[in-house]
Amino acid sequence: MLNGRTELHIFDRGSVTGDRYCEEVLLPHVRLFRGAIGPDFIFMDDNARPHRTLAVEELLESEDITRMDWPAYSPDLNPIEHMWDALGRCIASYLQHPENTQQLKQMLIEE
């Protein structure tokens, strides 16, 4: 984590489940970030189905991570959605578009 940021995590294959979200995002990134911020840390996600599983709820509770209350179906209020839009526009502006997922992944990381 640098200056309040983590590396971009890309789920390379398969569906994102609550268990994968816990193992690949919450445990290695969010838990450590919460530890660095301290008790005032409030976690914000986007109400996606994998974020609302019992496994996620239990993990957040066990790690004493407070989740921000977030209205359903409100992507326009979520700052991360604006970032994804800007990132998508950057990739779309490339003269050569990605031909496969590996190229797309590399372009996303570079941006």
Side-chain angles (χ1 to χ4, degrees):
M1 284 176 285
L2 301 172
N3 299 321
R5 300 166 70 174
T6 62
E7 291 183 21
L8 176 64
H9 180 80
I10 296 174
F11 291 91
D12 284 330
R13 60 191 179 285
S15 297
V16 179
T17 64
D19 290 333
R20 279 190 77 191
Y21 183 62
C22 287
E23 293 297 320
E24 296 182 36
V25 176
L26 294 179
L27 286 171
H29 302 293
V30 176
R31 179 175 62 176
L32 293 174
F33 196 64
R34 187 249 182 241
I37 300 298
D40 293 332
F41 177 76
I42 298 175
F43 178 61
M44 182 176 133
D45 61 20
D46 64 2
N47 285 328
R49 192 169 302 193
H51 302 167
R52 298 297 165 173
T53 66
L54 182 59
V56 171
E57 297 291 336
E58 289 175 349
L59 178 67
L60 293 175
E61 185 176 326
S62 73
E63 296 290 333
D64 196 29
I65 295 174
T66 302
R67 176 187 278 163
M68 177 186 282
D69 289 329
W70 200 247
Y73 307 110
S74 57
D76 54 322
L77 299 176
N78 190 334
I80 195 70
E81 298 303 330
H82 298 287
M83 189 281 309
W84 284 122
D85 179 59
L87 191 56
R89 289 173 191 263
C90 287
I91 300 300
S93 72
Y94 282 23
L95 295 177
Q96 184 170 354
H97 296 284
E99 295 179 11
N100 55 50
T101 55
Q102 189 58 36
Q103 286 181 358
L104 175 60
K105 180 179 176 178
Q106 189 59 41
M107 287 176 173
L108 289 169
I109 290 170
E110 287 173 6
E111 285 297 325

